[in-house]
Amino acid sequence: MPDLSAFAITKKWPARHPERLQLYSLPTPNGVKVSIALEETGLPYEVHRVAFDTNDQLSPEFLSLNPNNKIPAILDPNGPNGQPLALFESGAILVYLAAKTGQLMPTDDAARYETLQWLMFQMGGIGPMFGQLGFFHKFAGKDYEDKRPRDRYVAESRRLLQVLDGRLASRQWIMGDEYSIADIAVFPWVRNLAGFYGAGEIVGFDDFREVRRVLDAFVARPAVQRGLAIPPAP
């Protein structure tokens, strides 16, 4: 039985199944990337809810695993060379899970790097831009008289949707017929933009037929439906 007692995070969130991968998360667009990937691969895991309303992400225990105080983070008792591995940043975790399981990533070298390219497209573009638009459209930013910040993120979000729409033309998924971590990274954010953020109308979401088509296929996957609700509400 693996011993995780050396990791301070297990003091606040004890592992009932220390032989399983430990997930510390919330069902946000970044959080569900990892829960969806875990559900898709079938890798056994135990989930722990990091509650923002009680500032769990700022606790010393969580910071011992992720000093950047963001979810998701994982602790894998069966990491490389049989040693425990603590890892944060959702993109890095997706790459790790794909490598660990041999799933969700093409085996061809060129296609693998192309998949990573689209993963970085989400990490560097879609996530930050959609998130800023969400702030200025749904949250505190809506009270600002100066609408130039909001309009900047509307324009950039629309541009990113155009790039994605073009990529998906005549393709089932971002990488063609093969579903991958690129899709798992991108589509929770697309879903959030049109759903939780309520920004579908302002970005003209209905204009992007290919994006809407693939989003529908994504959310119809049973593993995605399960992953979107992990961790469950208390």
Side-chain angles (χ1 to χ4, degrees):
M1 184 71 69
D3 182 8
L4 300 180
S5 62
F7 293 89
I9 196 164
T10 63
K11 305 299 189 294
K12 186 174 178 66
W13 291 279
R16 292 171 297 171
H17 303 282
E19 74 282 3
R20 301 180 187 177
L21 184 146
Q22 306 293 305
L23 169 64
Y24 308 89
S25 192
L26 273 181
T28 68
N30 283 332
V32 299
K33 293 180 198 173
V34 176
S35 56
I36 289 170
L38 287 166
E39 289 292 324
E40 292 280 9
T41 61
L43 194 65
Y45 70 101
E46 180 178 353
V47 64
H48 306 278
R49 186 179 183 87
V50 180
F52 287 174
D53 57 347
T54 55
N55 288 324
D56 280 351
Q57 76 277 16
L58 300 177
S59 66
E61 294 86 355
F62 187 78
L63 292 173
S64 71
L65 189 64
N66 183 2
N68 196 35
N69 67 270
K70 304 293 184 183
I71 59 95
I74 65 168
L75 174 56
D76 186 358
N78 303 298
N81 301 315
Q83 298 301 309
L85 175 69
L87 202 60
F88 64 89
E89 283 295 332
S90 58
I93 297 171
L94 288 180
V95 174
Y96 173 70
L97 294 177
K100 180 180 177 72
T101 63
Q103 301 179 55
L104 303 173
M105 179 77 86
T107 56
D108 173 74
D109 283 347
R112 184 168 68 252
Y113 285 116
E114 192 176 352
T115 304
L116 293 174
Q117 165 186 270
W118 286 99
L119 172 65
M120 300 308 163
F121 171 77
Q122 183 278 307
M123 299 295 294
I126 281 182
M129 294 301 105
F130 287 12
Q132 292 294 336
L133 176 54
F135 171 81
F136 283 101
H137 181 64
K138 183 179 177 69
F139 298 111
K142 66 184 180 181
D143 298 324
Y144 296 173
E145 291 185 13
D146 187 349
K147 300 303 181 187
R148 286 176 296 178
R150 183 204 66 181
D151 292 346
R152 176 187 187 279
Y153 292 116
V154 167
E156 181 62 6
S157 295
R158 183 173 173 83
R159 187 191 71 79
L160 291 167
L161 287 168
Q162 289 173 331
V163 173
L164 183 60
D165 206 60
R167 172 66 182 182
L168 293 171
S170 303
R171 286 184 173 88
Q172 182 178 2
W173 300 104
I174 289 174
M175 287 303 298
D177 292 337
E178 189 169 350
Y179 176 76
S180 73
I181 59 172
D183 303 292
I184 293 174
V186 166
F187 284 101
W189 276 101
V190 174
R191 175 178 176 269
N192 215 57
L193 179 72
F196 180 70
Y197 288 157
E201 183 175 355
I202 199 172
V203 299
F205 188 69
D206 286 345
D207 295 340
F208 305 104
R209 295 175 55 187
E210 302 297 334
V211 173
R212 290 188 290 113
R213 170 184 60 82
V214 181
L215 175 61
D216 288 344
F218 178 74
V219 298
R221 295 178 67 90
V224 171
Q225 293 175 18
R226 295 192 300 270
L228 287 172
I230 295 172

